[in-house]
Amino acid sequence: MSETFNADRLTRLCDFLRRSPTPWHAAGNMAARLEQAGFQRLEEKANWQLTPGKRYYVTRNDSAIIAFQLPVSELTSLRMIGAHTDSPGLHLKPNATQRSAGWLQLGVQVYGGVLLAPWFDRDLGLAGRVHVRHADGRLESVLLNVDQPIAMVPSLAIHLDRDVNSGRALNAQTQMAPVLMQSETATLSELLAQWVSEQHGLNDIEIVDFELSFYDVQPPSLVGVKQQLVASARLDNLLSCFIGLEALLACDGAQGTLLVANDHEEVGSASACGAQGPFLADVLKRINAQVGGREGDKGNEESLIQLIQSSYMISCDNAHALHPNFRDKHDERHGPAINGGPVIKVNASQRYATNSVTGALFRDVCREASVPVQSFVTRADMGCGSTIGPITATELGVPTIDVGIPQWAMHSIRETAGTHDVEHLTRALTLFLNRAVLS
């Protein structure tokens, strides 16, 4: 394994992770980088005028984003990368204000498969989007990021629960409400109005609605004697969003390329901006209608099917790295090593979309990029998670492979991956986007 890594890329990664506490912030930060690189923003409600050789992006719900590069020549195939912007966490309930023992607390609901125990005794901030009504009746949506330790979920002392280290189920309804301040009168609406005023200069407003979640304000860091690890919240799956964006911005633009970062993967992808929704299909139809197909057969349903079947999708979502303290949780021949290269994820029951055709293509891409590659299969006596890969393949019919960077502590409040693997996967994806021949 190389003892070097791209320090500038890791700096950009840590900055992206720190500034992206929610899917809306992540998509907004990706959009900002795309615009800096010359990508033109499209609006779904407007007519599109696409030009070969140009670069575009579009968002849906402000939390999912698709960016694409059109080739100068005819568009007959796309090299696509997929990821998702959301991560498991604690989201506020609509009527969140509650009090106990003189403390203002906020009621939460669990989003996704959260590892709950690590949320205790953390410095928590609050972020998301807030909808306000102005004095003239106008509604406005604003992003909010209270990046200060305004709350925490305190543990119960071991003296009051002597059996706690023997393992005990946590109750998200009764034990996970963060505490914010000692007060018998303060409300969430008052606090939100204060924070919106401080961050956006908006006064004389009414809080109408919100989608907010807590997050750990501890910043990302490089860990280890030789900084071989990166530790942060939301590596699953902002790490893939970042790497996919790095590859898209680094590719030569000669081929048709596309990056999609859906929302709501952690809760099943069944939404308008999730992988099971029509976002990607809508964009592909509009691309094909204007620039898809060959002369004499452009922009029709036939050329759309041909375009999809001539394309490939690499679904990027992190994989379970072999844990040094829990080696028995892995199949002994399929335990990916951190910094051992990207992982091809395989499941016979189609929880991953990989097949031998797409697997062979990715292995060949890694060979050409001089990148090591690994395989993951869950133990036969354990269940298997899933990704946007099988959903995208099912909805579109596009040949798809599931890959990802190996990581520890998936779905914890703070996750860990390898610094070298960031470079490994970026190189592989960049070569994939540049490749003239896919099959």
Side-chain angles (χ1 to χ4, degrees):
M1 181 186 68
S2 170
E3 293 300 327
T4 62
F5 47 72
N6 189 318
D8 289 341
R9 196 186 314 279
L10 290 174
T11 298
R12 291 195 297 272
L13 170 62
C14 290
D15 182 61
F16 173 68
L17 293 168
R18 180 182 59 81
R19 295 187 300 109
S20 302
T22 73
W24 299 285
H25 291 86
N29 290 327
M30 294 174 73
R33 282 200 68 190
L34 289 165
E35 290 195 357
Q36 290 171 2
F39 281 72
Q40 178 183 336
R41 182 182 181 96
L42 300 169
E43 299 293 340
E44 287 199 281
K45 296 179 182 179
N47 291 328
W48 289 8
Q49 298 296 326
L50 303 180
T51 303
K54 299 296 184 180
R55 297 180 289 182
Y56 304 92
Y57 79 93
V58 60
T59 65
R60 179 172 288 186
N61 189 48
D62 292 328
S63 63
I65 187 167
I66 294 176
F68 56 94
Q69 162 82 52
L70 298 177
V72 175
S73 59
E74 60 188 16
L75 177 64
T76 58
S77 66
L78 281 166
R79 292 124 185 87
M80 295 190 283
I81 298 171
H84 64 88
T85 58
D86 62 319
S87 301
L90 300 180
H91 288 208
L92 291 195
K93 295 178 177 179
N95 300 318
T97 300
Q98 61 187 59
R99 293 179 178 83
S100 180
W103 285 91
L104 171 66
Q105 296 178 276
L106 296 180
V108 295
Q109 51 183 333
V110 174
Y111 179 87
V114 182
L115 194 60
L116 289 175
W119 280 80
F120 285 89
D121 307 317
R122 296 278 184 161
D123 296 346
L124 301 179
L126 187 70
R129 66 177 176 182
V130 180
H131 302 269
V132 303
R133 180 182 293 113
H134 293 266
D136 60 4
R138 177 171 49 92
L139 291 175
E140 183 177 1
S141 174
V142 296
L143 289 186
L144 184 70
N145 182 11
V146 187
D147 59 351
Q148 301 295 322
I150 60 167
M152 72 158 42
V153 184
S155 294
L156 182 65
I158 194 170
H159 312 78
L160 304 179
D161 188 1
R162 293 289 185 180
D163 297 325
V164 65
N165 287 333
S166 299
R168 181 166 294 173
L170 296 174
N171 189 313
Q173 174 70 21
T174 62
Q175 299 173 334
M176 298 299 298
V179 296
L180 280 79
M181 61 188 297
Q182 285 182 307
S183 174
E184 296 290 349
T185 59
T187 67
L188 174 61
S189 292
E190 294 170 347
L191 292 174
L192 290 180
Q194 173 189 329
W195 292 326
V196 168
S197 175
E198 292 171 352
Q199 295 188 18
H200 296 280
L202 300 180
N203 300 297
D204 193 20
I205 57 170
E206 175 189 355
I207 304 299
V208 179
D209 210 339
F210 56 80
E211 293 174 90
L212 295 165
S213 57
F214 285 106
Y215 73 97
D216 185 4
V217 298
Q218 182 181 0
S221 60
L222 303 184
V223 177
V225 174
K226 295 186 178 181
Q227 296 188 323
Q228 294 167 314
L229 300 172
V230 55
S232 174
R234 302 176 300 282
L235 290 183
D236 176 17
N237 190 32
L238 292 188
L239 188 51
S240 298
C241 292
F242 173 82
I243 293 173
L245 182 58
E246 289 278 299
L248 181 65
L249 296 179
C251 73
D252 59 24
Q255 313 301 326
T257 59
L258 182 146
L259 169 66
V260 53
N262 291 111
D263 195 359
H264 299 139
E265 188 275 345
E266 298 293 356
V267 291
S269 295
S271 72
C273 52
Q276 194 174 338
F279 186 27
L280 179 55
D282 288 347
V283 170
L284 292 179
K285 289 174 184 176
R286 298 178 82 163
I287 292 173
N288 176 72
Q290 293 197 29
V291 298
R294 295 180 171 86
E295 289 298 334
D297 191 23
K298 280 185 171 293
N300 56 27
E301 186 174 351
E302 185 77 9
S303 66
L304 176 62
I305 295 173
Q306 291 173 354
L307 173 64
I308 291 173
Q309 290 305 311
S310 299
S311 301
Y312 280 89
M313 163 70 78
I314 296 182
S315 166
C316 293
D317 204 344
N318 297 351
H320 299 294
L322 182 64
H323 196 301
N325 298 335
F326 298 92
R327 295 175 62 91
D328 61 328
K329 295 298 182 179
H330 280 268
D331 181 283
E332 62 182 10
R333 297 179 61 82
H334 300 91
I338 280 183
N339 288 321
V343 179
I344 296 175
K345 301 192 285 187
V346 179
N347 182 261
S349 298
Q350 297 299 297
R351 299 294 288 170
Y352 302 130
T354 305
N355 60 33
S356 59
V357 173
T358 56
L361 171 64
F362 188 73
R363 290 182 187 277
D364 200 47
V365 165
C366 289
R367 176 197 59 79
E368 189 175 341
S370 299
V371 167
V373 64
Q374 309 180 83
S375 297
F376 172 77
V377 180
T378 194
R379 287 175 56 104
D381 55 0
M382 295 176 64
C384 181
S386 192
T387 71
I388 67 167
I391 296 171
T392 303
T394 300
E395 294 295 323
L396 289 181
V398 62
T400 303
I401 182 173
D402 272 296
V403 307
I405 281 181
Q407 72 160 88
W408 293 325
M410 190 175 290
H411 290 193
S412 176
I413 196 171
R414 194 166 178 85
E415 302 166 319
T416 308
T419 52
H420 303 282
D421 284 330
V422 176
E423 193 65 20
H424 288 149
L425 186 54
T426 304
R427 283 165 47 195
L429 293 183
T430 303
L431 192 146
F432 165 71
L433 296 180
N434 286 340
R435 213 174 199 209
V437 179
L438 291 178
S439 58

